[in-house]
Amino acid sequence: MKTNSVINNPILPGFTPDPVILAVDDDYYLATSTFNWYPGIQLFHSKDLAHWELQSYVFNDPEFLKLAGTDTPAGVWAPDLSYDKKTGKFWIVMGQMHSMNGNLFDQDNYAVYSDSINGPWSDPIYLNSIGFDCSLFHDDDGRHWAVTLEWDTRKGYEHPGAIVLEEFDPEKKALIGPTKRISRGGTDRGCLEAPHIYKHNGYYYLMTAEGGTGYGHGVVIQRSKTIDGPYESDSQNPIITSTPYKYFRRNDPDSLRIDLYNPKAPLQKCGHGSLVHTATDEWYIAHLSARPLPGTTNCVLGRETSLQKVYWTEDGWLRMKAGGTLAQTTTEGMTGTSVPDTPQTTIINNDFGDGVIDLHLMSPYGPRTENWASVSERPGWLRISGRQSFFSQFEVSLLASRIDSFKSSISTLVEFNPTHYSQSAGLTLYYDNSNWLFARVYFSETFNSPALAIMKGEKGNKDEFILDRVALPGGKAEIKSVINYDTAQFYYRLSSEESWNTLGSPIDISFMSDEQTGGFTGLMGGIGAWDSYRRQSHADFKYFKIIPENE
């Protein structure tokens, strides 16, 4: 007799927010936001809903996706992934947030399509700029519909606004007809966003996120016999959350809502859901979640992706298979599947000797190009040419991937021969351009040689741990950072035959969290270089590793 497996949450730990999930036959795909990181939109693939592998990215054209100067956490927001059964085409909708200043939210929404999930993708089709979190629904009558959060900018009107419905014509490559407001939310939590439409047993179901993208987050469901409403709210709303009680926060602009932290919830910030029907005739909701550092509300790993099994009640509503509305750290797997009872973390062990840069390595504000990141200039090594500092939002020479475990080690071997103190290269823990740690090789006039020291960016302010610096006459060292929940200890050694030496004392990294920065991205580990002297220096890296310690 076949038995169900148990899926551990989060299914995608670390910085993987705003998930949208899709099934095509027995293949499952999942896309997440990438904000100011390039390429835009990560695409993951799975056969069992438990094991997910990064398969590709969607937007890799710098002529279209211009992220330079983007304030964190603007950039690429909340992708939508759908499949049109009549044409066999995959569709992706993305929103690019250009500016959040003045709460006007300057945003453009685009759609692309492809005959394959692996692309190539079409040229972007402009949809609208009315708000964010736009998605497409392909009805069985052949019509196509876009639903978007209409961001209301008018003084005295409820914010953020309403969910609007617009018809999309793929032949004309444009939205057509009127714009109709179909919902102002299914609860009084406020911060309405992330609309998706599904159809089941004669009803149209509108799934939204409400309560903010922080501790009051929830998955909300409404339904209607017609696509344009009126929509009635499920009496149990929200159907998945970390804060399972009713409250009124309409027109409250605070999306983080730390005061709603629930110490009894096994997962926090649970919302922004997406529904999937499996090949085994079972139903799941993928949703955003987070795990704060123990005893705190600081989420250094960022917002993650989790999964809950759901079922349809006799009266046509969705309920969690586990019961209740509180999101769980485990959920029942698909019938007939068997998965290991361990967290789904990712090991990165990129030896540049093979001339390949790991798919997980992304760059902020713009694409990786040969003119600053090359595996051909020095065979066997990755050469990174110094550009602007990590405080910049423009030309930053940094390659990084998400940290997905509270206990992880990040390491590299670097060769660098700087001639000026403003040239730096090394290993970084990076949240955004204002918050990072950089164990860097630079030129010390005190030592009259290269040196190794730690620089810190916190809320846009710089600090240097100069009392912990060490001379590095050869300009070559292995550098490692060991993360242990809220601290990071840096190490170095001059050869692989030596023991690791500590570089300074453990550093509190809780400042690199959503709660301390006011953002909503996540901690990344990476390697990079800058040159504020003449932009002529380069550093060579032999390898880069991120090794999570499963707990």
Side-chain angles (χ1 to χ4, degrees):
M1 178 179 178
K2 293 182 178 179
T3 59
N4 291 337
S5 62
V6 173
I7 297 174
N8 289 279
N9 283 319
I11 55 170
L12 284 173
F15 171 38
T16 53
D18 308 327
V20 58
I21 193 169
L22 173 69
V24 179
D25 299 324
D26 60 351
D27 287 294
Y28 304 95
Y29 305 101
L30 198 151
T32 68
S33 295
T34 45
F35 298 99
N36 61 299
W37 290 90
Y38 209 99
I41 302 182
Q42 303 174 96
L43 280 177
F44 298 88
H45 173 255
S46 177
K47 280 288 191 179
D48 59 11
L49 298 181
H51 299 91
W52 294 87
E53 292 187 2
L54 179 62
Q55 180 165 292
S56 63
Y57 299 88
V58 180
F59 294 98
N60 202 26
D61 180 3
E63 293 302 311
F64 164 69
L65 186 59
K66 300 179 186 298
L67 296 175
T70 299
D71 287 331
T72 304
V76 177
W77 280 22
D80 173 65
L81 176 60
S82 62
Y83 181 71
D84 183 359
K85 293 181 180 179
K86 290 185 178 296
T87 62
K89 293 187 183 299
F90 292 87
W91 286 85
I92 285 178
V93 177
M94 64 85 80
Q96 184 175 0
M97 181 63 68
H98 303 287
S99 171
M100 301 162 66
N101 293 338
N103 271 341
L104 285 179
F105 280 39
D106 289 300
Q107 157 104 8
D108 295 318
N109 294 306
Y110 298 90
V112 293
Y113 61 88
S114 173
D115 293 324
S116 167
I117 191 68
N118 297 313
W121 296 93
S122 69
D123 291 336
I125 301 167
Y126 171 76
L127 296 177
N128 61 26
S129 301
I130 200 169
F132 52 85
D133 293 2
C134 183
S135 67
L136 281 180
F137 170 69
H138 311 283
D139 208 342
D140 47 23
D141 63 0
R143 299 173 77 180
H144 310 263
W145 301 90
V147 281
T148 315
L149 168 67
E150 179 186 53
W151 184 260
D152 201 323
T153 61
R154 297 170 293 180
K155 187 174 182 178
Y157 284 76
E158 183 184 318
H159 298 281
I163 303 302
V164 296
L165 178 75
E166 300 168 279
E167 188 168 1
F168 174 67
D169 187 332
E171 297 299 323
K172 295 181 179 179
K173 298 183 178 180
L175 296 174
I176 58 175
T179 299
K180 181 171 183 179
R181 298 187 182 100
I182 58 173
S183 174
R184 289 194 177 273
T187 74
D188 287 324
R189 295 187 170 215
C191 286
L192 173 65
E193 57 187 2
H196 293 280
I197 288 181
Y198 305 95
K199 196 172 186 180
H200 180 68
N201 283 353
Y203 278 99
Y204 293 91
Y205 288 86
L206 174 64
M207 183 174 288
T208 57
E210 299 182 28
T213 193
Y215 287 96
H217 217 15
V219 178
V220 173
I221 195 83
Q222 301 169 75
R223 74 181 181 186
S224 172
K225 281 290 187 179
T226 59
I227 195 167
D228 59 352
Y231 281 83
E232 62 171 322
S233 179
D234 186 341
S235 61
Q236 187 167 290
N237 275 328
I239 61 170
I240 299 175
T241 186
S242 305
T243 313
Y245 56 83
K246 295 185 183 300
Y247 63 84
F248 187 94
R249 294 284 280 268
R250 287 184 180 270
N251 217 24
D252 181 351
D254 176 20
S255 64
L256 193 53
R257 299 181 178 178
I258 297 178
D259 61 299
L260 295 176
Y261 167 70
N262 177 11
K264 295 183 179 180
L267 292 171
Q268 299 290 337
K269 302 183 181 180
C270 295
H272 200 117
S274 174
L275 181 66
V276 66
H277 185 200
T278 71
T280 56
D281 195 25
E282 294 164 290
W283 297 83
Y284 290 83
I285 292 177
H287 63 88
L288 181 155
S289 63
R291 295 172 294 161
L293 291 166
T296 78
T297 57
N298 297 320
C299 299
V300 295
L301 298 184
R303 299 173 305 154
E304 307 172 308
T305 291
S306 290
L307 194 73
Q308 308 294 333
K309 191 170 190 176
V310 294
Y311 67 95
W312 294 98
T313 64
E314 290 184 1
D315 55 351
W317 293 107
L318 285 167
R319 294 290 180 263
M320 286 177 57
K321 190 71 181 292
T325 63
L326 198 63
Q328 300 296 311
T329 54
T330 61
T331 195
E332 188 179 286
M334 289 190 297
T335 300
T337 61
S338 179
V339 297
D341 188 23
T342 56
Q344 303 301 305
T345 51
T346 300
I347 295 174
I348 294 177
N349 188 2
N350 197 172
D351 183 342
F352 301 116
D354 58 9
V356 175
I357 297 176
D358 192 289
L359 185 65
H360 291 82
L361 295 182
M362 307 170 73
S363 55
Y365 307 114
R368 182 187 81 235
T369 60
E370 273 287 312
N371 70 342
W372 68 266
S374 172
V375 289
S376 61
E377 289 191 27
R378 183 184 176 185
W381 298 71
L382 169 65
R383 176 161 291 179
I384 298 182
S385 299
R387 296 188 296 168
Q388 297 170 2
S389 81
F390 292 167
F391 280 123
S392 176
Q393 298 167 259
F394 294 89
E395 296 182 346
V396 182
S397 298
L398 167 63
L399 293 176
S401 183
R402 73 184 194 273
I403 305 297
D404 63 8
S405 176
F406 287 115
K407 289 187 174 184
S408 298
S409 67
I410 305 96
S411 59
T412 192
L413 168 61
V414 60
E415 282 191 3
F416 185 45
N417 290 291
T419 58
H420 193 272
Y421 63 82
S422 62
Q423 299 169 326
S424 300
L427 185 76
T428 183
L429 299 177
Y430 183 99
Y431 178 89
D432 61 16
N433 67 293
S434 294
N435 301 276
W436 40 262
L437 292 170
F438 189 24
R440 66 192 183 110
V441 180
Y442 71 107
F443 184 80
S444 167
E445 294 182 353
T446 301
F447 294 142
N448 193 32
S449 76
L452 177 62
I454 299 170
M455 182 181 285
K456 178 183 183 181
E458 182 174 358
K459 296 182 179 177
N461 299 308
K462 177 180 71 69
D463 193 9
E464 297 181 64
F465 297 80
I466 58 175
L467 297 180
D468 299 322
R469 63 185 173 182
V470 295
L472 203 65
K476 179 179 179 180
E478 285 188 271
I479 309 171
K480 178 170 69 172
S481 178
V482 176
I483 296 172
N484 186 14
Y485 287 90
D486 60 349
T487 63
Q489 173 67 63
F490 285 89
Y491 299 87
Y492 73 97
R493 64 184 181 185
L494 303 184
S495 80
S496 59
E497 298 175 356
E498 296 181 5
S499 299
W500 290 98
N501 306 293
T502 57
L503 181 64
S505 301
I507 300 173
D508 187 341
I509 61 171
S510 60
F511 74 94
M512 290 187 282
S513 64
D514 297 355
E515 292 69 26
Q516 298 300 314
T517 65
F520 40 81
T521 57
L523 185 63
M524 308 279 279
I527 50 179
W530 72 56
D531 185 339
S532 300
Y533 178 47
R534 292 178 176 172
R535 301 277 198 270
Q536 293 176 338
S537 65
H538 60 258
D540 293 332
F541 296 85
K542 184 60 179 173
Y543 69 83
F544 176 67
K545 297 180 182 180
I546 299 180
I547 309 298
E549 180 181 326
N550 291 333
E551 302 162 68

